[in-house]
Amino acid sequence: MALKKCNAVFEGGGVRGIGHVGAVCRLEKAGYEFVDTAGSSAGAMVAALLAAGYTGAELKKELEALDYMKFKGMDLPDYFGVVGKAFSLLISLGIYDTEYLEAWMEGLLAQKNIKNFDDLRKNGKKLKITASDLTEKRLLVFPDDLEEFGIQREAFSVAAAVRMSVSIPVFFEPVQWKDRHGKVHIIVDGGLLSNYPVWLLDDGEHLPKRPTFGFKFIDEEETCKCNICQAKANLVDYLKAIVSTCLDAVDHNHLIEGDFERTIRISTAVGFKEERHKINAVDFNISKKDSQALFENGWKAAEKFLNEWNFEGWKRRFR
């Protein structure tokens, strides 16, 4: 079967990234090969690993073996309960560090001989990763915006860019960077400003030579339980609800005509009947069963999408 080339943009989704992988596996089964990729937060992780040469099956294996709780890197104060976490938040602007996450990404990328953006370029791959600059209240796109910080674009670490993109506010310590003028910038999760950057690989005007598919999570609010809705919701539930609301917000500013039709919409709901519930981006204690259910949601969403997708028809309608 001849491979069909495509681009892919992955929405941020925290621990729900396995849903993206399910959709990727279904597209690969249909004969698609990914060329240019982009993403925010957990979507940046999937985009980077695909650009490095991982297949969907390889990503599934890695994520199934991953203990998401290890992403919650703990400094000394974090071992002292709520008081310690509050101290970490005051001192470091985040409860957990992301050193383990960056090291995990570095290790996976190294297995494909990828370290920086130049390594990807040599392999004919383009990768775009978003992050949010709280200091300037603006969206950053890596590697494009690195020169503003006096950093050579292509030599920058892919794992470091992913680390910044996944730094969920409150939960993770932000990255603090100095620009060429010595001003400190606080960099956090790209999803805060653009969680679904499908626009990164398509200007919306020129006729594309290959399709760009978007991978996005959707809620089933009418069937899913949410902890913050319960009478005894605690502070952790409250913070998770705030962060999830920000990260799940629709990317109205950048969506263009035709984006809905090229989006693979993956349900965040898992379980059956009265046990059906929504998986939030920061549910780090997600069970293996729920993780597998998200993978299956991604597979089914991609299958439904493929039954309806027609690239030539899409171009006639929207280009």
Side-chain angles (χ1 to χ4, degrees):
M1 178 173 56
L3 290 175
K4 298 170 282 189
K5 297 183 183 297
C6 68
N7 298 334
V9 179
F10 298 91
E11 181 187 38
V15 301
R16 302 176 302 200
I18 187 69
H20 287 327
V21 176
V24 165
C25 286
R26 183 63 185 89
L27 285 179
E28 287 180 340
K29 183 181 179 182
Y32 280 98
E33 177 186 21
F34 298 94
V35 183
D36 298 337
T37 58
S40 176
S41 194
M45 295 170 58
V46 176
L49 293 173
L50 282 176
Y54 278 88
T55 65
E58 289 175 322
L59 291 183
K60 182 176 186 289
K61 181 180 178 181
E62 294 295 340
L63 290 183
E64 284 179 340
L66 176 64
D67 180 0
Y68 289 100
M69 294 299 288
K70 290 184 178 179
F71 281 174
K72 298 167 71 171
M74 298 177 70
D75 298 321
L76 181 60
D78 299 321
Y79 290 96
F80 294 91
V82 175
V83 174
K85 289 179 172 57
F87 183 76
S88 288
L89 191 56
L90 288 172
I91 300 301
S92 306
L93 304 180
I95 298 174
Y96 308 108
D97 68 55
T98 49
E99 292 180 5
Y100 175 85
L101 188 151
E102 183 174 1
W104 180 75
M105 282 294 302
E106 282 182 343
L108 291 181
L109 292 169
Q111 292 181 35
K112 300 293 185 180
N113 298 313
I114 299 296
K115 182 177 181 180
N116 53 44
F117 282 91
D118 195 47
D119 294 331
L120 295 176
R121 182 189 61 80
K122 291 176 181 177
N123 289 344
K125 298 298 180 92
K126 180 191 296 182
L127 171 67
K128 302 285 187 180
I129 291 175
T130 66
S132 300
D133 183 346
L134 296 186
T135 302
E136 296 294 335
K137 299 180 179 62
R138 57 165 292 204
L139 184 72
L140 297 176
V141 177
F142 298 139
D144 301 18
D145 294 330
L146 287 169
E147 292 179 356
E148 298 180 24
F149 294 88
I151 298 172
Q152 188 176 352
R153 290 174 47 180
E154 301 302 325
F156 191 69
S157 163
V158 174
V162 170
R163 177 182 182 176
M164 283 182 273
S165 188
V166 303
S167 295
I168 299 173
V170 179
F171 283 87
F172 293 127
E173 298 172 5
V175 174
Q176 299 190 42
W177 257 11
K178 285 185 179 181
D179 61 22
R180 61 176 71 246
H181 305 294
K183 183 177 181 179
V184 176
H185 295 250
I186 298 176
I187 314 298
V188 299
D189 195 306
L192 197 65
L193 294 179
S194 183
N195 203 31
Y196 183 49
V198 68
W199 49 275
L200 276 175
L201 299 179
D202 184 356
D203 63 8
E205 297 178 2
H206 294 89
L207 192 66
K209 59 182 179 180
R210 56 179 172 265
T212 293
F213 298 139
F215 297 70
K216 182 174 177 57
F217 293 105
I218 60 170
D219 293 340
E220 297 177 18
E221 297 177 0
E222 71 281 2
T223 61
C224 300
K225 296 179 181 178
C226 172
N227 288 336
I228 198 63
C229 299
Q230 310 304 315
K232 295 183 179 180
N234 58 36
L235 179 59
V236 173
D237 293 332
Y238 178 64
L239 290 175
K240 288 170 66 173
I242 291 174
V243 173
S244 295
T245 297
C246 293
L247 298 183
D248 290 342
V250 178
D251 226 331
H252 289 300
N253 292 335
H254 295 291
L255 292 181
I256 59 175
E257 190 177 23
D259 283 348
F260 181 83
E261 287 78 5
R262 61 177 173 177
T263 296
I264 298 169
R265 297 178 288 281
I266 304 167
S267 173
T268 61
V270 299
F272 299 95
K273 297 181 179 179
E274 66 275 3
E275 296 299 323
R276 196 160 177 78
H277 58 282
K278 170 187 172 182
I279 302 298
N280 287 314
V282 290
D283 285 339
F284 294 102
N285 60 342
I286 183 173
S287 68
K288 296 294 183 181
K289 180 179 179 181
D290 284 350
S291 184
Q292 177 61 30
L294 281 175
F295 176 88
E296 293 171 0
N297 285 356
W299 179 283
K300 293 174 183 176
E303 191 159 49
K304 181 177 185 298
F305 173 83
L306 289 170
N307 289 334
E308 302 170 352
W309 173 254
N310 181 287
F311 187 37
E312 295 304 318
W314 184 89
K315 287 190 292 185
R316 286 194 297 271
R317 291 177 62 192
F318 301 109
R319 290 294 184 271

